[in-house]
Amino acid sequence: MRTAVVLGTRPEIIKMSPVIRALEASKSDFFVVHTGQHYSYDLDRVFFEELGLKAPLRNLGAGSGSHAEETAKMLVGLEAALVEGGASGVLVEGDTNTVLAGALAASKMGLQVGHVEAGLRSRDRRMPEELNRVVTDHVSDILFAPTTVARDNLLAEGVERARVKVTGNTVVDAVKQNVELAERSPRVKALDGVGGGFILATIHRQENVDDKKVLSRIIAGVEMVSKKTGFVVIFPAHPRTRKAMLRFGVSPDPLLVRVADPVGYLAFLKLEREAEAVLTDSGGVQEETCVLGTPCVTLRDNTERPETVEVGANVVAGTTPVGIVKSAERMLAGKRKWRNPFGDGRAGEKIVREWRRRVE
Ligand code: UD1
Ligand code: UDP
């Protein structure tokens, strides 16, 4: 049995790292293929360096372009890379185009496919990620659901129970494995001169960023949160967002919101931990804040992580300034203590154990 781990973006590198560690610890035969979906140093290589991961066997250089272009390039490149590497099974994690391409290419080749973080549903088909989740889950052989909520989503879609294993989310493993190192990481430049508390923000979701009206509304909301609370907002901006702000000519007041380049994982974990609250449309950030005990305000109309809302760690604010400010005030006034719904930090081990049991 030879496993190919297919990954390509920032969150996949971070959340697959515990699975890669578990594959190494169990002396499994595996290799990593990178689709190249993310390629900028601060969305890609920095995580391999910080997490001590070996360079991928192949990088397909299939990043950017339209959804069709990107996915098509990946499918062609992956087929060849999987043959060349002698893969008999493929593991993918999450909901990006890389995940869709990895699962589709491998399943058409008759390889075993395991989907890590299966069963999440926003029920919002405007999101490319939702389409990727649904297709990936239904072509995969083994579905590693992080929670019972995710498992139940799969069962409700007619997936056989035997294909699903509840494992917890590897985000907890990654946080536990790195939080101490993160504490020792240097203070980010964007915090220079900030004496008191701060709020952290990230925005990159296609439906939030690629529409001038929505992006302007969200930025106005984030500025208002700063004005109302007196906390400066630190905003490490994804390149998609930077480009959109430039294209639309919208940028926040620098006295309220400090736009910065994306930061490494260790620095980001430290920011998340120290922030008074986090405003985000990121999936991984909703989970990490829930694990770290920092209140989260989700800048979207829905979430595929309802567990975070149920435990009181997160609120779905929508994308209007009023909604964002109200939600932020509510979360800032609330308690910072809740149950972690994402498992005990041993998801990577459980996934690899189950994967080997089923495919070997
Ligand atoms: C992708 C995922 C999204 C995930 C996010 C994680 C899909 C459909 N989207 O969104 O689910 O939350 O990654 O961050 O798979 N760019 C760079 N450098 C890079 C990568 C991208 O400058 O290394 C710029 C390019 O202009 C590119 C744009 O960002 O066109 C969007 O990149 P893309 O990978 O298509 O989508 P993300 O927004 O990163
Ligand atoms: N992250 C990071 N630096 C940043 C912003 C985010 O290291 O400047 C990490 C964060 O800790 C989390 C992951 O990136 O683990 C989330 O990725 P992203 O928001 O890009 O994608 P999503 O989770 O929404 O798919």
Side-chain angles (χ1 to χ4, degrees):
M1 173 69 202
R2 184 155 158 83
T3 301
V5 173
V6 173
L7 46 72
T9 67
R10 167 166 78 183
E12 292 159 63
I13 303 165
I14 293 168
K15 287 189 187 170
M16 260 312 191
S17 68
V19 174
I20 293 174
R21 293 217 185 300
L23 285 166
E24 281 167 352
S26 60
K27 305 215 177 336
S28 303
D29 185 14
F30 78 100
F31 63 100
V32 176
V33 181
H34 194 314
T35 61
Q37 181 169 348
H38 283 177
Y39 46 84
S40 301
Y41 174 81
D42 52 13
L43 288 193
D44 174 22
R45 245 196 33 231
V46 64
F47 304 110
F48 282 85
E49 290 171 7
E50 288 188 338
L51 296 165
L53 302 173
K54 272 193 266 168
L57 184 69
R58 281 278 304 275
N59 188 316
L60 307 176
S64 294
S66 70
H67 282 273
E69 280 167 347
E70 192 175 85
T71 312
K73 265 196 242 163
M74 289 177 192
L75 282 169
V76 174
L78 280 167
E79 194 177 55
L82 295 174
V83 171
E84 191 194 316
S88 40
V90 166
L91 286 172
V92 291
E93 188 283 334
D95 56 17
T96 65
N97 288 347
T98 291
V99 175
L100 170 70
L104 201 51
S107 61
K108 289 282 184 92
M109 292 167 73
L111 308 183
Q112 290 286 306
V113 182
H115 185 203
V116 177
E117 205 178 68
L120 275 61
R121 293 291 182 271
S122 66
R123 299 188 174 78
D124 179 355
R125 292 278 172 113
R126 290 174 311 159
M127 298 179 72
E129 292 85 358
E130 184 72 357
L131 304 173
N132 293 344
R133 288 179 199 120
V134 171
V135 177
T136 301
D137 282 339
H138 285 270
V139 298
S140 295
D141 300 288
I142 308 172
L143 301 170
F144 300 106
T147 66
T148 54
V149 172
R151 176 199 61 200
D152 292 346
N153 288 336
L154 292 166
L155 300 182
E157 288 176 15
V159 172
E160 306 89 308
R161 192 174 277 268
R163 281 169 57 203
V164 186
K165 172 85 179 168
V166 178
T167 59
N169 196 310
T170 59
V171 81
V172 183
D173 311 29
V175 167
K176 284 197 170 172
Q177 288 164 13
N178 294 286
V179 76
E180 268 178 43
L181 261 182
E183 282 311 301
R184 296 201 293 274
S185 75
R187 202 173 149 87
V188 298
K189 258 198 139 21
L191 278 174
D192 281 358
V194 177
F198 66 91
I199 286 173
L200 178 64
T202 79
I203 309 162
H204 75 282
R205 207 52 64 199
Q206 178 179 301
E207 56 281 9
N208 279 348
V209 165
D210 288 5
D211 180 321
K212 182 177 180 182
K213 255 203 232 141
V214 181
L215 182 61
S216 308
R217 246 178 21 216
I218 293 177
I219 288 181
V222 173
E223 284 177 328
M224 265 169 71
V225 171
S226 173
K227 250 190 231 158
K228 285 255 190 170
T229 62
F231 295 123
V232 66
V233 177
I234 306 298
F235 175 19
H238 187 288
R240 177 193 279 275
T241 315
R242 277 270 199 192
K243 286 176 191 166
M245 291 197 310
L246 209 65
R247 190 165 71 244
F248 300 142
V250 287
S251 59
D253 177 345
L255 292 176
L256 303 172
V257 181
R258 296 187 179 187
V259 182
D261 287 335
V263 299
Y265 180 51
L266 300 177
F268 194 78
L269 276 182
K270 188 173 177 177
L271 284 171
E272 281 180 298
R273 199 163 143 125
E274 291 177 355
E276 302 296 324
V278 178
L279 315 177
T280 192
D281 61 9
S282 158
V285 175
Q286 290 174 63
E287 293 161 351
E288 283 168 357
T289 48
C290 182
V291 173
L292 290 166
T294 303
C296 183
V297 174
T298 293
L299 308 172
R300 287 174 43 191
D301 297 325
N302 50 58
T303 179
E304 58 291 312
R305 274 99 174 162
E307 300 89 340
T308 59
V309 178
E310 276 154 29
V311 300
N314 186 16
V315 62
V316 177
T319 57
T320 64
V322 174
I324 295 170
V325 170
K326 271 197 183 154
S327 299
E329 285 178 333
R330 196 181 113 199
M331 290 310 286
L332 283 163
K335 279 197 226 148
R336 290 174 74 110
K337 218 169 167 49
W338 44 73
R339 181 177 61 82
N340 159 25
F342 292 119
D344 58 4
R346 303 180 67 181
E349 271 171 59
K350 287 181 199 156
I351 288 164
V352 168
R353 205 178 314 125
E354 187 66 13
W355 173 246
R356 294 189 59 159
R357 193 178 74 76
R358 297 214 192 191
V359 297
E360 276 180 359

